[in-house]
Amino acid sequence: MRSMAMRCLPTVFLTSVLAVSSARAADVPLTALGWLAGCWTTEHAEPGSGEQWMPLAGNVMLGMSRTIRGGNTVAHEFMRIANAPDGKLTFFAQPSGKPPASFAVLKQTPTEVVFENLEHPFPQRVIYRYEPPARLHASIEGTRNGVAKSFDYPMVRASCDAALTQPASQ
């Protein structure tokens, strides 16, 4: 009897570990993404390009981004991070007026979060990596027409009041 219990112990342990890991992936706390809140300026881009994330309130983080080229806004995006109806932490994005898309959390560490939707045309992954005290690396990746693609958006923390001090013509 004892030898049978000892043989089953590794299976029981592995099953327990997998159950806890699955629960953690499905129940990632939104509070752990506090480092994302604030204003971020895209490096090597025209002034006004970047993202702004509101702090967590009402169980949701709201964000927006803007890309400026030649003095004009060429892209914008409204974003939300919240728990989906299934309880999984999810990134919802609506770029430049297109229909919204959702990406469920795939991985999270104290300084990185990866969201994924393999059914989405492009991108299939949205990644945010924080480098304290003031750097954020956002990236999107996946395949388009069978070709792997990745776009990086390095950002630095900025004052949210900076936009208020820019001339109205910008």
Side-chain angles (χ1 to χ4, degrees):
M1 179 81 161
R2 181 177 163 95
S3 65
M4 180 182 226
M6 293 304 282
R7 281 184 279 161
C8 293
L9 188 58
T11 303
V12 169
F13 176 75
L14 182 59
T15 303
S16 298
V17 169
L18 291 174
V20 169
S21 297
S22 295
R24 284 188 186 144
D27 300 320
V28 174
L30 189 50
T31 56
L33 296 180
W35 47 263
L36 188 56
C39 292
W40 301 92
T41 300
T42 306
E43 292 184 309
H44 314 295
E46 288 189 36
S49 296
E51 292 189 8
Q52 181 173 354
W53 283 92
M54 296 174 71
L56 174 63
N59 298 313
V60 70
M61 288 185 77
L62 296 175
M64 59 185 163
S65 72
R66 173 175 55 193
T67 302
I68 306 292
R69 284 196 199 112
N72 294 307
T73 298
V74 296
H76 68 279
E77 184 170 23
F78 298 111
M79 302 167 291
R80 176 172 54 103
I81 301 176
N83 288 318
D86 65 2
K88 202 166 197 179
L89 188 64
T90 303
F91 176 85
F92 300 91
Q94 187 169 9
S96 299
K98 293 180 182 173
S102 61
F103 302 80
V105 69
L106 176 66
K107 170 187 164 187
Q108 185 185 16
T109 71
T111 58
E112 181 182 48
V113 62
V114 179
F115 299 98
E116 184 176 69
N117 178 348
L118 297 176
E119 303 300 316
H120 191 260
F122 184 86
Q124 285 87 40
R125 277 171 303 290
V126 177
I127 303 161
Y128 284 99
R129 189 177 75 249
Y130 177 56
E131 290 182 11
R135 297 185 65 74
L136 183 68
H137 293 273
S139 59
I140 57 173
E141 59 185 36
T143 58
R144 181 185 285 160
N145 299 324
V147 177
K149 295 199 177 277
S150 178
F151 297 95
D152 296 317
Y153 304 94
M155 294 180 262
V156 294
R157 191 174 292 280
S159 166
C160 292
D161 294 332
L164 299 176
T165 60
Q166 290 184 4
S169 63
Q170 289 198 23

